[in-house]
């Protein structure tokens, strides 16, 4: 193990330079203009896997963006770890809020600034470099398969098909994913839950054209006003969601578990200060940590309609729209929730408008157990590299494919992430700490070591 860690120390600068090259490729999966760049990123990754000595490396085409696959078989008696990550990134908009261009990475204050620095190219690349270090030192203690997709940020639809199609090829004892956060650099944690997601777009249509807001205003239902009222009615005064049946399947978390989760270090004052808000707001009866992990939500992600250009234009819009996300918890089903939402939204609309609800991608929530050797090995690995045992923590984010790993492949996932919630993923000036990047590379070989040991005994 010392050789592996020494190899990492000796190659830090090169690892970092390579990551910066990777970050220069604008692999934006949502925007078809960047299809060529997503493909370029997959080729770059494939070449890198070949270079470090992986076998069976291939870029597998899909109906969307490709999947990069590779493996290294050491010995059939050893356990197999399947590593998952995503090399696609979110669009960088709004561009004018970046302090440096999103695809020209810079290092400032010990952090790498670029789109994808943390989510997920930086975290994915930790695995590539950990594998390189283990293989170069002849210390790979488990068989390994890697599977990197280019569509996580757009719903992982084709990866879902890939899992069905290559069930046998992907057989493994555990799936290791670094695409989540730790509590703080001196408070390591392992993510034990992810929320599910239902995402819909709604369109409210009133009159057949935009109207003069003086000539017609007061007599014709205004879609923008109506949309706002409908959205506002989705929560009551206690910030409970009002969609009938919405909470029916929600698993009630025990008082004991809630007590545990609220013992995690967290300062509401600092949280508010970081966000520049004077007060927080959320569901009555729950703490901030609970509201962002074990409780479901309904949030407007975008809203538009009518005139939004410069100056004042007097117009009563014909249409108004919103994009709405619902974060789900065990055992809510995204399709069922989408249907409940659509039915409710149409029912509450006044007769003066028509409603269209278009579902986008969704995903199942997931919780991962802590009483397994898969989790315990991760805990020991982090304790070794951080000098402090990690806390289990449920996250508010979503990685829909994790539920499918279990239902399709029958394999449990360990969410060994190294980001920070303050890394501004999906936002302008996304960054990833050098500390976190290298801590990840150091921790992964310990995971391989402890997992192999614990599986043997
Ligand atoms: N890596 C994130 C999810 C995440 C971030 C989990 C931080 C825990 C902590 C992932 O890339 C992501 O952004 N997921 C999307 C859902 C997806 C279907 C677009 C999300 O959570 O909004
Ligand atoms: Mn991610
Ligand atoms: Mn993301």
């Amino acid at each position: 193990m010392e050789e592996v860690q020494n190899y990492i120390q000796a190659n830090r600068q090169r690892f970092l330079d390579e990551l910066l090259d990777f970050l220069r490729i604008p692999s934006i999966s949502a925007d078809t203009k960047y299809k060529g760049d997503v493909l370029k990123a997959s080729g770059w990754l494939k070449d890198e896997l070949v270079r470090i000595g992986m076998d069976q490396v291939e870029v597998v085409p899909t109906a969307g963006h490709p999947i990069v696959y590779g493996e290294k078989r050491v010995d059939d008696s050893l356990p197999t770890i399947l590593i998952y990550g995503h090399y696609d990134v979110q669009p960088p908009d709004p561009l004018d809020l970046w302090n440096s261009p999103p695809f020209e990475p810079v290092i400032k204050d010990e952090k790498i600034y670029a789109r994808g620095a943390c989510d997920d190219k930086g975290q994915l690349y930790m695995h590539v470099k950990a594998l390189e270090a283990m293989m170069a030192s002849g210390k790979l203690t488990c068989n390994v398969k890697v599977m990197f997709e280019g569509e996580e940020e757009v719903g992982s639809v084709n990866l879902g098909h890939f899992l069905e199609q290559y069930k046998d090829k992907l057989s493994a004892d555990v799936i290791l994913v670094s695409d989540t956060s730790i509590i703080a650099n001196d408070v390591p944690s392992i993510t034990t839950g992810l929320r599910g997601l239902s995402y819909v777009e709604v369109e409210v249509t009133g009159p057949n054209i935009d109207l003069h807001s003086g000539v017609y205003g007061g007599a014709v239902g205004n879609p923008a006003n109506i949309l706002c009222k409908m959205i506002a009615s989705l929560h009551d005064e206690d910030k409970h969601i009002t969609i009938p049946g919405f909470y029916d399947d929600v698993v009630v978390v025990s008082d004991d578990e809630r007590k545990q989760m609220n013992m995690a270090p967290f300062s509401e004052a600092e949280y508010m200060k970081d966000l520049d808000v004077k007060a927080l707001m959320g569901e009555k009866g729950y703490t901030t940590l609970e509201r962002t992990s074990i409780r479901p939500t309904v949030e407007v992600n975008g809203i538009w309609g009518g005139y939004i250009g410069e100056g004042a234009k007097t117009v009563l819009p014909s249409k108004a729209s919103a994009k709405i996300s619902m974060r789900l918890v065990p055992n809510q089903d995204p399709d069922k929730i989408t249907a409940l939402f659509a039915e409710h939204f149409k029912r509450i609309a006044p007769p003066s408008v028509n409603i269209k609800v278009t579902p986008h991608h969704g995903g199942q929530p997931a919780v991962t157990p802590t009483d397994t050797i898969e989790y315990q090995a991760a805990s020991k690995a982090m304790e070794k590299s951080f000098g402090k045992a990690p806390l289990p923590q449920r996250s508010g984010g979503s990685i829909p494919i994790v539920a499918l790993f279990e239902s399709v492949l029958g394999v449990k996932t360990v969410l060994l992430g190294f980001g920070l919630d303050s890394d501004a993923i999906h936002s302008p000036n996304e960054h990833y700490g050098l500390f976190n990047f290298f801590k990840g590379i150091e921790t992964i070989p310990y995971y391989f070591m402890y997992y192999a040991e614990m599986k043997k005994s």
Side-chain angles (χ1 to χ4, degrees), residues 180-183 189-196 249-254 257-258 260-262 264 288-296 327-332 365-370 375 391-398 415 421:
T180 53
S181 327
I182 51 175
I183 294 176
S189 59
I190 297 176
T191 302
T192 52
L194 293 162
R195 285 197 283 196
D249 300 325
V250 169
V251 170
V252 177
V253 176
S254 72
E257 201 180 323
R258 286 178 66 183
Q260 285 282 322
M261 101 182 16
N262 284 301
T288 297
L289 286 177
E290 291 169 343
R291 289 168 180 169
T292 54
S293 62
I294 59 165
R295 297 299 292 167
R327 295 286 167 170
L328 311 178
V329 299
N331 283 326
Q332 288 178 298
V367 282
T368 63
T370 55
Y375 180 90
L391 300 167
Q393 196 183 49
R394 280 170 67 167
S395 166
S398 307
L415 297 162
D421 283 345

Side-chain angles (χ1 to χ4, degrees), residues 86 90 119 152-155 179-181 194 197 327 361 395 397-400 421 425-426:
H86 65 92
Q90 285 275 329
D119 185 16
E152 195 276 342
E153 301 291 9
V154 291
D179 193 22
T180 53
S181 327
L194 293 162
L197 181 66
R327 295 286 167 170
H361 55 71
S395 166
S398 307
I399 309 177
D421 283 345
I425 65 171
H426 296 205

Side-chain angles (χ1 to χ4, degrees), residues 102-117:
F103 298 105
E104 292 171 29
V106 292
I107 294 167
K108 215 179 98 189
D109 304 330
E110 303 282 300
K111 297 177 192 82
I112 310 157
Y113 283 84
R115 171 57 87 232

